[in-house]
Amino acid sequence: MNVQLVTSRFEEIYAGGVPSGVCQAPGRVNLIGEHIDYSGLAVLPMAIDRYVWAAFRPRTDNSIHLASDDAAYAPTVFDLSDAIQPAPPGDWSNYARAAVQALNHALDLNAAHGMDVFIASDLPAASGLSSSTALVVATAMAYLSCAGRPLEDEADRKRMAEILAEGEQYVGTKSGGMDQAAILLGQANAALKIDFDPLRYETISMPDECAVVVCHSGVNANKGGDAQSDYNRGPAMCGLIRELVEHHAQQEFGDEIEFATLGEIWSGPLCLTHSEAAELFEGALTKDHYSLAEVAATLGADESALRERWPNLPATTGDELPLRAWSRHQYQELRRVEKTRDALLCNDLAGAGQLMLESHASCSEALCVSTRELDALVKTAMANGAYGARLTGAGFGGCTVNLVPKNLVATFIDAVWSQYYEAGPGSNRGFSAPEHAIFEVAPANGAAYR
Ligand code: GLA
């Protein structure tokens, strides 16, 4: 895909109309720091050189016309209003509706006119590579440009990442802010260690001797559709954990202690070290499984009030909430993010790879967000010379991310193709050629006008 192609497709679809602009938003791959961004804890993703493109022009009326290059996404029209009605769950236009609604509310752009938008992409959808957030960001940039306020400096990008992270909740997914930040702040040649509240980042140059390879498990995971309730369970469990840890901290340090996110245990007034934080978590959660009634009794809260506060908790009949496993994942994964940052900065690829494996094991065994296929892909990667491999993004299907010695990339791809896609659990998954199933990605700059 390129500017000329997107422009000419726009002209065909909108009857000869010329776009006023074109923008591109990259996907992202998360190297490490999974299922912790919604707790306000640091993550380490990188924007990748696969994109969602948008060609656009303002309209004189107040409707937004959307069309896609992909026949799976039917053309849609919706009107601007104070409260834009969502399309049925799973409809692709909800991501565009989310972007426009968020900007109208945050920037008071309601007077803006509508727009014609044409979308094209080389980023596989429902694969854990953030194609939906790339669509949100591309639509937002188009809308801003049509309103005469194109995205400009870095402060603008950070603000936009925060606005769109909150705005994307419109689709019903209770995600954190990793994807929007990676897509808007990405840097060529570097991964980003992203911290939240306030949003800030450090660029982590990727060592020359390694390549990042993405392998698709062949199982789609649509976080805005079928996988939404699986995904939303995580933020709900972590919400409950935050309440329990806060309650325990109040008993230890005094009633005035409060934290809005688990991240504030490290960054807020308590400002604990890693070992102090671990001690606090272990003191708050003293056994593996809890019933909601027990949690309610500990907190002096009503069970039904907790259910209302955290509607996405799994339905339980007894001691079934695996809260200790989820809480350990939170503080241990944060530590792995920091150690991976250090390992990458001093070219310790074996060390970074080991941390990726530990992260995958925790996602698979403690959080149960992996699948048989993702576990098999990680094993296949490790048997073929990867430094490390793990599921990337939400899980429940989608892709693995693999850190591979640069000089082994071609043999690695051939071996994984024959062992996983031709002969293993990935066979018959509809991939006709390795390049659609396994591809090297490079760190890319954040979303831009072209
Ligand atoms: C999805 C969400 C992110 C993050 C990951 C899991 O990609 O959009 O906010 O929670 O899952 O780490």
Side-chain angles (χ1 to χ4, degrees):
M1 204 46 70
N2 58 42
V3 179
Q4 284 75 20
L5 224 58
V6 190
T7 304
S8 66
R9 290 287 289 125
F10 179 100
E11 290 168 6
E12 279 164 35
I13 285 179
Y14 292 107
V18 177
S20 61
V22 172
C23 60
Q24 63 177 49
R28 68 96 191 90
V29 73
N30 190 18
L31 295 178
I32 197 159
E34 219 64 88
H35 285 276
I36 60 171
D37 64 340
Y38 45 70
S39 295
L41 299 174
V43 292
L44 211 167
M46 67 185 212
I48 58 174
D49 53 347
R50 291 204 166 209
Y51 301 89
V52 168
W53 297 72
F56 54 85
R57 70 165 172 201
R59 291 178 61 88
T60 48
D61 62 12
N62 77 338
S63 55
I64 306 272
H65 289 229
L66 288 179
S68 166
D69 204 28
D70 185 335
Y73 306 115
T76 313
V77 179
F78 64 90
D79 289 336
L80 293 172
S81 75
D82 274 351
I84 297 170
Q85 285 310 302
D91 188 291
W92 76 290
S93 75
N94 281 335
Y95 292 103
R97 292 170 198 249
V100 170
Q101 169 113 314
L103 293 176
N104 281 347
H105 287 183
L107 306 179
D108 211 11
L109 286 184
N110 250 335
H113 295 301
M115 57 181 181
D116 291 325
V117 188
F118 169 72
I119 300 288
S121 171
D122 60 2
L123 193 56
S127 302
L129 302 177
S130 246
S131 62
S132 28
T133 301
L135 174 59
V136 170
V137 171
T139 316
M141 289 181 64
Y143 191 57
L144 284 168
S145 172
C146 289
R149 307 183 43 161
L151 200 60
E152 276 164 5
D153 55 10
E154 185 180 292
D156 229 13
R157 286 172 176 273
K158 282 189 177 158
R159 175 145 188 246
M160 203 49 55
E162 289 180 323
I163 291 172
L164 295 179
E166 177 145 2
E168 200 177 314
Q169 306 238 335
Y170 176 96
V171 303
T173 314
K174 307 289 178 198
S175 331
M178 164 169 70
D179 304 347
Q180 297 78 6
I183 289 170
L184 278 153
L185 300 166
Q187 303 278 326
N189 304 320
L192 305 178
K193 174 171 174 275
I194 299 173
D195 282 87
F196 301 99
D197 310 313
L199 180 61
R200 57 212 188 277
Y201 68 96
E202 178 188 0
T203 50
I204 312 292
S205 295
M206 290 301 284
D208 291 339
E209 313 83 83
C210 74
V212 177
V213 177
V214 166
C215 300
H216 200 299
S217 69
V219 179
N220 281 346
N222 184 1
K223 199 163 46 71
D226 299 346
Q228 190 172 77
S229 63
D230 287 337
Y231 176 84
N232 282 348
R233 213 172 291 146
M237 299 276 266
C238 290
L240 210 54
I241 290 166
R242 187 200 57 72
E243 291 201 36
L244 283 166
V245 179
E246 182 181 72
H247 177 79
H248 181 66
Q250 286 170 347
Q251 292 181 323
E252 295 279 299
F253 304 112
D255 278 349
E256 69 286 359
I257 300 293
E258 283 181 358
F259 31 86
T261 64
L262 288 176
E264 288 182 16
I265 293 173
W266 288 263
S267 64
L270 275 181
C271 212
L272 299 187
T273 63
H274 283 297
S275 59
E276 289 165 343
E279 213 174 285
L280 187 68
F281 276 90
E282 294 299 319
L285 289 127
T286 52
K287 57 185 195 134
D288 291 341
H289 293 89
Y290 286 79
S291 69
L292 198 57
E294 265 174 293
V295 175
T298 307
L299 296 173
D302 208 42
E303 200 177 323
S304 56
L306 282 182
R307 238 319 136 217
E308 234 167 74
R309 216 152 47 235
W310 308 111
N312 297 298
L313 283 174
T316 50
T317 49
D319 293 1
E320 291 155 10
L321 297 172
L323 294 178
R324 181 147 72 179
W326 274 84
S327 85
R328 285 186 173 157
H329 178 83
Q330 299 299 299
Y331 68 80
Q332 292 173 352
E333 185 77 351
L334 171 65
R335 198 69 188 105
R336 286 190 282 269
V337 167
E338 294 184 343
K339 287 183 176 169
T340 305
R341 166 210 177 267
D342 296 348
L344 289 174
L345 286 178
C346 52
N347 277 2
D348 174 13
L349 292 166
Q354 181 56 34
L355 290 155
M356 290 171 74
L357 285 176
E358 287 170 20
S359 168
H360 182 80
S362 185
C363 286
S364 180
E365 289 151 28
L367 308 190
C368 303
V369 298
S370 186
T371 60
R372 184 180 76 94
E373 290 82 0
L374 289 166
D375 291 347
L377 257 180
V378 167
K379 272 209 184 105
T380 311
M382 294 314 294
N384 288 288
Y387 292 115
R390 54 181 298 282
L391 67 83
T392 189
F396 315 109
C399 293
T400 58
V401 55
N402 304 271
L403 204 59
V404 178
K406 191 108 199 149
N407 58 350
L408 278 189
V409 170
T411 31
F412 176 82
I413 289 179
D414 285 351
V416 176
W417 176 255
S418 67
Q419 291 165 32
Y420 180 83
Y421 296 96
E422 285 184 338
S427 57
N428 300 320
R429 295 247 170 228
F431 291 113
S432 53
E435 60 267 29
H436 300 303
I438 321 179
F439 42 91
E440 183 178 350
V441 290
N445 281 324
Y449 295 104
R450 299 300 312 271

